[in-house]
Amino acid sequence: MPVETIKWDKERIKLIDQTLLPNKFKHIYCDTIESIGEAIKNLRVRGAPAIGIAGALGVVLGMQDSKAKDYARFKKQLEHVISYLSSSRPTAVNLFWALDRMRVCCEKHRNLSIKTIKSELLNEAQKIIDEDKNICRDIGKNGAKLIKDGDVILTHCNAGGLATADYGTALGVIFYANEQGKKIRVYADETRPLLQGARLTTWELMHAGIDVTLICDNMAGSLMKQGKISCVIVGADRIASNGDTANKIGTYSLAVLAKAHNIPFYVAAPISTFDMKIKSGKQIPIEQRAHEEVTNLYGKRIAPKNVNVYNPAFDVTPARLISAIITECGIIEEPNEKKISNF
Ligand code: MRU
């Protein structure tokens, strides 16, 4: 059974606290806009599509108690909530895409009562969740065409059910191929500094009964050299109109390694991850995170005090290193600006 990452539950947001996995499977409830903002910032909910869903539900949460008497005041409050949620994490475009959908939904129903607009906002957020479930299965179905029986797949970070409503993008491809009866094996990068691969990807794959082996990030090249990897599949946080792709830090190194070893490098992502407003990856804002994520491991300091630290959460893989982008609408091979705009 796929995990349900995040949902609306009796006037609150219910989500799996991913910072506790795999040791503890625990749901938390967010009943204030600040608590969902905190959950996004601290990666209790994470992964581009799941962040988008959290943003949409955050708007519902932030507006449900509005006492606004007219549309103008309601809209002003909504913009305030959107602006607060927009400041949580900058890289995954799905957040801004989802917040924009909520804004458009509000504007579309401007002539209805405030009570009706509130219920339309909840319907819209629920639609985003339901669509995501279908989209991930379509990504899985399309991507599985690239997977052969016996393939050994390398993945990075977590682009699974936990990063979406319930099924995943990169892992969706793996789940789908597995459901088709293909015998596949997976290597999961641990994904320092926050270990999404070690903590979340292995957990999800093991639950699905898929053969997964955990490796440290610096082992991938050696495995490729030994001929042990058939292909790499990763998710994405933002894809520029030329195909340049931002994903978890370390993705770029994998793409370079894959190219050097002639191994296909696939990106799996919904259309909502494309940012057609930007020309190239250079314009993608890269989130910088706290130094403690690098200097500390599970509360214990592992580096000297006052050491200089650089901690970007994402990097950008140029389109020329990507063999194909797998979407719910089909596959874009060797992506470039022209192919993406005609897609
Ligand atoms: O910092 P995170 O854990 O939110 O980063 C997640 C990733 O980089 C994922 O690969 C990406 O969001 C795609 S999720 C389907």
Side-chain angles (χ1 to χ4, degrees):
M1 274 296 283
V3 285
E4 208 168 18
T5 307
I6 178 165
K7 63 191 258 194
W8 187 249
D9 185 69
K10 300 188 199 90
E11 299 175 10
R12 303 175 295 178
I13 301 171
K14 181 180 180 185
L15 56 92
I16 299 169
D17 185 346
Q18 298 188 31
T19 62
L20 304 176
L21 283 170
N23 298 324
K24 216 186 242 180
F25 181 86
K26 189 179 166 218
H27 285 103
I28 54 166
Y29 294 88
C30 297
D31 51 11
T32 61
I33 186 79
E34 290 78 18
S35 60
I36 188 66
E38 186 276 339
I40 298 172
K41 273 191 200 131
N42 291 326
L43 274 63
R44 298 186 199 285
V45 57
R46 40 134 316 270
I51 294 172
I53 293 167
L57 291 175
V59 171
V60 178
L61 187 64
M63 296 311 294
Q64 69 178 354
D65 294 328
S66 166
K67 304 271 182 295
K69 295 264 178 304
D70 55 50
Y71 176 77
R73 265 174 266 197
F74 185 81
K75 182 72 188 331
K76 203 170 157 199
Q77 288 171 1
L78 180 116
E79 289 301 338
H80 193 72
V81 166
I82 287 181
S83 149
Y84 172 76
L85 292 166
S86 300
S87 68
S88 56
R89 295 191 75 190
T91 304
V93 77
N94 309 58
L95 173 64
F96 307 97
W97 168 87
L99 293 174
D100 215 48
R101 261 184 74 161
M102 299 304 280
R103 174 186 288 118
V104 170
C105 169
C106 177
E107 287 167 356
K108 189 171 144 203
H109 297 100
R110 60 183 304 147
N111 293 324
L112 304 179
S113 69
I114 298 296
K115 191 169 166 231
T116 311
I117 300 177
K118 286 183 187 175
S119 85
E120 288 298 337
L121 287 173
L122 177 57
N123 289 344
E124 188 67 12
Q126 193 53 52
K127 230 163 106 186
I128 291 175
I129 297 175
D130 295 341
E131 283 171 16
D132 185 79
K133 293 181 180 177
N134 292 326
I135 285 168
C136 285
R137 280 157 184 83
D138 288 343
I139 290 173
K141 187 176 179 184
N142 290 334
K145 292 178 195 144
L146 301 168
I147 309 300
K148 292 185 295 298
D149 195 33
D151 271 358
V152 183
I153 301 165
L154 175 67
T155 190
H156 189 66
C157 193
N158 172 268
L162 291 165
T164 60
D166 74 347
Y167 193 73
T169 56
L171 292 198
V173 173
I174 292 169
F175 291 142
Y176 206 94
N178 179 59
E179 285 159 29
Q180 287 176 324
K182 291 174 186 162
K183 276 240 157 313
I184 43 179
R185 287 196 296 123
V186 179
Y187 280 100
D189 275 352
E190 61 173 349
T191 319
R192 268 287 277 155
L194 295 180
L195 302 170
Q196 290 92 329
R199 297 187 300 105
L200 310 175
T201 295
T202 55
W203 182 81
E204 280 197 44
L205 291 171
M206 287 169 78
H207 270 266
I210 295 172
D211 183 336
V212 56
T213 303
L214 174 65
I215 57 167
C216 297
D217 298 323
N218 48 8
M219 297 172 184
S222 167
L223 284 177
M224 290 184 189
K225 189 160 173 256
Q226 295 171 59
K228 289 193 170 160
I229 305 293
S230 320
C231 67
V232 180
I233 312 182
V234 296
D237 285 85
R238 195 185 290 233
I239 304 174
S241 57
N242 70 345
D244 292 353
T245 295
N247 191 50
K248 181 53 57 195
I249 189 75
T251 302
Y252 169 60
S253 323
L254 282 186
V256 173
L257 283 168
K259 188 70 153 188
H261 293 91
N262 223 1
I263 294 167
F265 182 90
Y266 302 127
V267 171
I271 297 291
S272 56
T273 302
F274 285 80
D275 183 352
M276 298 305 285
K277 291 200 284 293
I278 60 170
K279 275 182 132 37
S280 81
K282 283 197 188 110
Q283 290 162 271
I284 300 178
I286 299 294
E287 178 183 8
Q288 301 292 326
R289 294 190 58 89
H291 291 187
E292 290 69 28
E293 290 181 354
V294 179
T295 57
N296 293 32
L297 254 186
Y298 287 105
K300 191 172 185 303
R301 190 147 184 118
I302 54 159
K305 271 203 171 122
N306 302 324
V307 67
N308 291 328
V309 174
Y310 177 52
N311 185 19
F314 302 96
D315 59 26
V316 176
T317 298
R320 67 185 154 78
L321 297 177
I322 299 171
S323 314
I325 301 177
I326 305 157
T327 78
E328 68 272 32
C329 302
I331 296 173
I332 312 170
E333 279 174 25
E334 290 170 11
N336 58 34
E337 196 181 340
K338 197 162 161 218
K339 285 189 193 171
I340 291 172
S341 67
N342 290 335
F343 187 65

